[in-house]
Amino acid sequence: MKKFTTILTGTAAALAFSAAAAQAERGSDGNLNILYWQAVSILNPYLSGGTKDVEGSSVVIEPLAKYDETGTMVPALVDEIPTVENGGVSEDLKSITWKISEGLMWSDGTPFTANDVKFTADYCMAPDGGCQQIAKFQDVESVEVVDDLTVKVNFSVAKPFPYTAFVGAESPIIQKAQFENCMGPRAPECTEQNFGPHGTGPFKVAEFRANDVVTFEANEHYRDPAKPAFATLTLKGGGDAASAARSVLETGEFDYAWNLQVEPEILDQMSAAGRGKLVTSFGTSVERIEVNAYDPSPDKGDARSTKEAGPHPFLSDPAVRRALSIAIDRDLLVEAGYGASGQSTCNILPAPENYASTNVDWCLTQDIDEANRLLDEAGWERGSDGVRAKDGVRISILYQTSTNSVRQATQALVKDMWEQIGVESELRNVDAAVFFGGDPASPDTFQKFYADVEMYTNNFPGTDPQGYMAGWLCSDIPSPENGWLGANVPRFCSEEYDALVAELSTTAELEARGDIAKQLNDILSNEGALIPLIHRGDVSAHSVTIDGVRMNSWDSELWNVADWTRLQ
């Protein structure tokens, strides 16, 4: 894995992008049929933290720069990546200037300008907008339009890594003319814009059906006149990971299937049909159990899972959180559900190597005896039913996740492990399109967190974790005030953690950045804000007739869909 982000110039990137693409006319390869079994619910990543929404939107709206499959930063809407050496980053590291490529057009035929870039920052940073990607704009003081093709981002402090805003699929540019009446609290109300954004990408939205299917057409204003090779793209949602794998590997119904969290022996059996091939890569994805710091009890009404509800009745005890973690046999979870595409981990930040801590490996070895000792010592006594309680509070956990066979198997295994330490668990699974959706009215989203613990995978684009680790700031806790769209899902709050995030943002030397990032990781694991389980490899599949797929764990898997072609 890369130790840090490398950078390609526009010329080198163009050569790299074109290497896998066949010489074909735009639209000559018909329809590209893609299945994301977690259906897309919105095409605005600023209003959703769900990977399926970020990746679905990435074929339409783009950032100024992307990350390729090696973690290298490459230009998208600019000719080169700004650096100190080329004058794009100031010597004091307090500004970065992006020079936009000439001739770029939005899919509605209007020019793409620096005004759109500035507007995107204003949109995300607007008060009460609930921007899911606000961590990308940490320390941004202002964004100024120098001219139509030049935009300057000014920071309030020196930024050794200034490539957070406008870089990667989570921080694309949206069109000012389309979204200018959707600022702040109005952002979630702009259904037409959020479901059908204009973009600069290879495709444009033809029809959007939330939590079902999105139909795209080739963008006639895309900057490369020969791309995309496909005239249309159908992005279907629904089903489950196993049926998605089968649709590519066995039946050939779909050309590409994403996130195949399926038992490894089943994938091997399906692959034998010869219709498709599996593609795998490791990035920063970690399957984790988030631990709710607030009380989610239904009797708290509208205040449940908010600060007003008060601390969690038993998960506020660090002994309980530590016991829950060491009672888990992570190696068994890997063996049962992931095989070679999973590795046991105690890190929420498992990669790149420079940032991976070894200081919290205490959780790698299951220790039922120690877990029981911790709970005994903390005064949690077993009742006649075997469930521990103290002061009338029973350790009875509502454990939720998305609907998926591997996740349900993991839940069952963890439930059995927790039973061995006197912890009762009720298992709940929610349709993935709802669980990872951004509907602030739904009680079942992972951000609303109406449960004691919940399990899912998350990651970050690129190879620098600053924006990702800023997701656990006290200021980023989901709440009714921000439309439940904060990134700090476990409601963790620590002054020490916040101070370290601030220090990371002003630290330039790579080794020192690594040390700070490890400290942040260790706080999250040691405090039990979350329970890391498995460092997941990303597994998808594509038809043997599809060429140009370059599996990417550092950005959207569809990052180079403009280069995909169908073999004749």
Side-chain angles (χ1 to χ4, degrees), residues 340-530:
S341 65
Q343 301 166 356
S344 297
T345 188
C346 301
N347 290 327
I348 200 63
L349 178 59
E353 183 180 348
N354 183 60
Y355 299 107
S357 174
T358 58
N359 301 322
V360 289
D361 287 353
W362 53 264
C363 90
L364 289 177
T365 302
Q366 183 190 39
D367 195 336
I368 296 294
D369 290 341
E370 175 63 10
N372 277 311
R373 187 196 68 77
L374 285 169
L375 294 174
D376 289 340
E377 191 174 87
W380 295 94
E381 300 178 353
R382 292 180 187 265
S384 59
D385 59 358
V387 178
R388 292 180 181 271
K390 183 169 71 171
D391 299 329
V393 176
R394 299 170 76 249
I395 308 184
S396 182
I397 290 177
L398 176 57
Y399 175 7
Q400 72 177 13
T401 188
S402 62
T403 304
N404 169 272
S405 63
V406 172
R407 287 202 167 119
Q408 271 67 83
T410 298
Q411 280 183 304
L413 289 169
V414 172
K415 177 179 180 177
D416 179 68
M417 296 167 192
W418 284 350
E419 283 180 357
Q420 298 175 52
I421 62 170
V423 172
E424 179 181 67
S425 303
E426 176 188 346
L427 305 183
R428 179 171 184 257
N429 65 82
V430 181
D431 182 87
V434 176
F435 188 67
F436 295 112
D439 183 359
S442 172
D444 297 320
T445 64
F446 76 102
Q447 297 105 323
K448 195 158 281 188
F449 204 172
Y450 284 173
D452 301 301
V453 302
E454 62 185 6
M455 181 174 69
Y456 59 93
T457 288
N458 203 0
N459 55 24
F460 62 92
T463 56
D464 187 88
Q466 182 177 317
Y468 180 62
M469 301 310 284
W472 288 280
L473 290 170
C474 297
S475 59
D476 209 16
I477 293 174
S479 68
E481 290 71 31
N482 60 23
W484 300 98
L485 290 175
N488 186 351
V489 174
R491 284 71 165 147
F492 173 74
C493 186
S494 161
E495 291 182 2
E496 178 188 8
Y497 189 93
D498 284 13
L500 280 170
V501 170
E503 183 180 351
L504 179 63
S505 71
T506 60
T507 300
E509 201 272 321
L510 181 58
E511 185 175 350
R513 289 178 67 79
D515 289 342
I516 296 170
K518 290 174 185 177
Q519 291 179 61
L520 292 168
N521 173 87
D522 297 349
I523 289 174
L524 293 173
S525 290
N526 286 328
E527 289 290 329
L530 36 77

Side-chain angles (χ1 to χ4, degrees), residues 105-127:
M105 305 287 284
W106 288 103
S107 53
D108 66 351
T110 59
F112 176 96
T113 74
N115 291 293
D116 296 301
V117 182
K118 171 179 167 46
F119 170 78
T120 299
D122 294 341
Y123 174 89
C124 186
M125 297 169 66

Side-chain angles (χ1 to χ4, degrees), residues 35 61 76 112 192 201 211 225 284 319 329 333 375 413 473 502 508 542:
L35 180 57
I61 48 179
F112 176 96
E192 181 179 347
N211 301 320
T284 58
D329 185 345
L333 301 184
L375 294 174
L413 289 169
L473 290 170
H542 66 83

